[in-house]
């Protein structure tokens, strides 16, 4: 079973085109030689062309932070798979907790977005994770089960599926799940994937997200079912992101 570590930066609503291109340039200049993990950044839609241009021909892939399921039409504010592919995007983030919390994203729309991305040939990075209230109420396992199964409904091409476990209480708070806590949920997700896809589940990457940084990444990435990171804050500074790439290379 080979699962290449994936180190992904979710820039959220940060960086202009020029700033994004500069960050990519700094990361490229600092990449270690030798084995690298897969490296991916998710810039805001409007800055994608500049970031794609800066990353062209390099080891850095570019994803979008969301995607709509329709091919085109009256969906103000949304962006289609064709538009993303046309801009050089290879991945789409789907169901990030900030979209679920602030923009009315539901399990059903997450599924529609993921299915459309995958059938268009994009890799869907599907986010799941419990809130603090859900964890404290002992609902973590049931939330993860519901979100994961619903997001994957009707999806059969597992080569384009990546799951990101992002406990909402750990995002941007500086609180990280301990490696054991994270591994417990990642193992649960792996079991769901096995139930859905059998042996193909072994090659699906499950990323951890939530205050991952250079100091805690090696321990997290040492866990058997943690196959990379989806990093917010620490992906915005080249030295930190490079240290995470290095941790990915060494994991
Ligand atoms: P932080 O790394 O800033 O906690 O963000 C995690 C995240 O939401 C990545 O998608």
């Amino acid at each position: 079973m080979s699962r290449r570590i994936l180190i992904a930066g979710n820039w959220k609503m940060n960086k202009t085109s020029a700033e994004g291109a500069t960050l990519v340039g700094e990361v490229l200049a600092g990449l270690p030689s030798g084995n690298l993990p897969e490296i991916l950044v998710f810039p805001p839609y409007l800055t994608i062309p500049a970031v794609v241009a800066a990353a062209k021909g390099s080891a850095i892939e570019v994803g979008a932070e969301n995607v709509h399921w329709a091919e085109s039409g009256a969906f103000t504010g949304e962006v289609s798979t064709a538009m993303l592919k046309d801009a050089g995007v290879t991945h789409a983030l789907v169901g990030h907790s900030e979209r679920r919390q602030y923009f009315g994203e539901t399990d059903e729309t997450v599924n529609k977005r993921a299915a459309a991305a995958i059938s268009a040939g994009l890799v869907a990075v599907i986010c799941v994770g419990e809130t603090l209230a859900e964890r404290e109420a002992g609902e973590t396992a049931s939330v993860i089960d519901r979100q994961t199964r619903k997001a994957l409904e009707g999806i059969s091409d597992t080569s384009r599926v990546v799951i990101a476990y992002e406990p909402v209480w750990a995002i941007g708070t500086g609180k990280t799940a301990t490696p054991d806590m994270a591994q417990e949920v990642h193992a649960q997700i792996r079991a769901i994937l096995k139930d859905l896809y059998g042996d193909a589940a072994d090659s699906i990457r499950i990323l951890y997200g939530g205050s991952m940084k250079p100091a805690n990444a090696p321990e997290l990435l040492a866990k058997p079912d943690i196959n990379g990171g989806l990093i917010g804050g620490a992906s915005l500074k080249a030295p930190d992101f490079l240290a995470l790439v290095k941790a990915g290379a060494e994991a």
Side-chain angles (χ1 to χ4, degrees), residues 94-185:
V94 181
H96 192 278
S97 65
E98 285 146 20
R99 300 232 44 100
R100 295 180 191 256
Q101 268 185 297
Y102 307 136
F103 302 101
E105 198 76 70
T106 64
D107 289 336
E108 192 190 355
T109 55
V110 169
N111 174 243
K112 289 167 90 164
R113 293 182 197 279
I118 290 165
S119 50
L122 297 169
V123 175
V125 180
I126 299 167
C127 305
V128 298
E130 80 288 1
T131 63
L132 183 59
E134 288 164 341
R135 176 160 283 266
E136 286 176 345
E139 293 167 357
T140 299
S142 62
V143 168
I144 296 301
D145 189 80
R146 188 198 75 231
Q147 290 182 344
T148 307
R149 287 181 192 276
K150 184 68 198 171
L152 293 168
E153 224 169 73
I155 292 172
S156 53
D157 183 359
T158 55
S159 70
R160 298 189 193 285
V161 172
V162 173
I163 306 291
Y165 169 56
E166 299 206 309
V168 177
W169 48 270
I171 294 177
T173 56
K175 283 186 206 149
T176 323
T178 64
D180 286 338
M181 279 163 83
Q183 167 57 27
E184 187 184 351
V185 178

Side-chain angles (χ1 to χ4, degrees), residues 10 12 96 98 166 170-172 210-212 230-233:
N10 175 10
K12 309 192 179 184
H96 192 278
E98 285 146 20
E166 299 206 309
I171 294 177
S211 300
M212 192 187 250
L230 181 57
I231 301 124

Side-chain angles (χ1 to χ4, degrees), residues 17-222:
S17 292
E19 290 165 350
T22 298
L23 176 57
V24 165
E26 287 168 356
V27 171
L28 288 176
L31 281 184
S33 53
N35 261 2
L36 288 175
E38 188 172 346
I39 308 169
L40 173 63
V41 295
F42 293 99
Y45 282 138
L46 193 56
T47 69
I48 284 173
V51 174
V52 166
K56 200 171 166 62
S58 79
I60 299 183
E61 300 168 303
V62 182
E65 295 179 14
N66 201 0
V67 61
H68 196 259
W69 55 86
E71 278 179 28
S72 62
F75 300 102
T76 302
E78 294 286 329
V79 172
S80 73
T81 56
M83 294 167 191
L84 294 178
K85 287 169 67 184
D86 184 47
V89 158
T90 51
H91 294 64
L93 206 54
V94 181
H96 192 278
S97 65
E98 285 146 20
R99 300 232 44 100
R100 295 180 191 256
Q101 268 185 297
Y102 307 136
F103 302 101
E105 198 76 70
T106 64
D107 289 336
E108 192 190 355
T109 55
V110 169
N111 174 243
K112 289 167 90 164
R113 293 182 197 279
I118 290 165
S119 50
L122 297 169
V123 175
V125 180
I126 299 167
C127 305
V128 298
E130 80 288 1
T131 63
L132 183 59
E134 288 164 341
R135 176 160 283 266
E136 286 176 345
E139 293 167 357
T140 299
S142 62
V143 168
I144 296 301
D145 189 80
R146 188 198 75 231
Q147 290 182 344
T148 307
R149 287 181 192 276
K150 184 68 198 171
L152 293 168
E153 224 169 73
I155 292 172
S156 53
D157 183 359
T158 55
S159 70
R160 298 189 193 285
V161 172
V162 173
I163 306 291
Y165 169 56
E166 299 206 309
V168 177
W169 48 270
I171 294 177
T173 56
K175 283 186 206 149
T176 323
T178 64
D180 286 338
M181 279 163 83
Q183 167 57 27
E184 187 184 351
V185 178
H186 282 234
Q188 186 206 345
I189 294 170
R190 182 82 59 207
I192 296 167
L193 297 173
K194 284 226 182 221
D195 182 39
L196 294 174
Y197 301 116
D199 289 347
D202 287 334
S203 46
I204 300 177
R205 269 90 54 94
I206 307 173
L207 314 182
Y208 171 78
S211 300
M212 192 187 250
K213 40 189 177 280
N216 58 30
E219 261 194 302
L220 286 160
L221 294 172

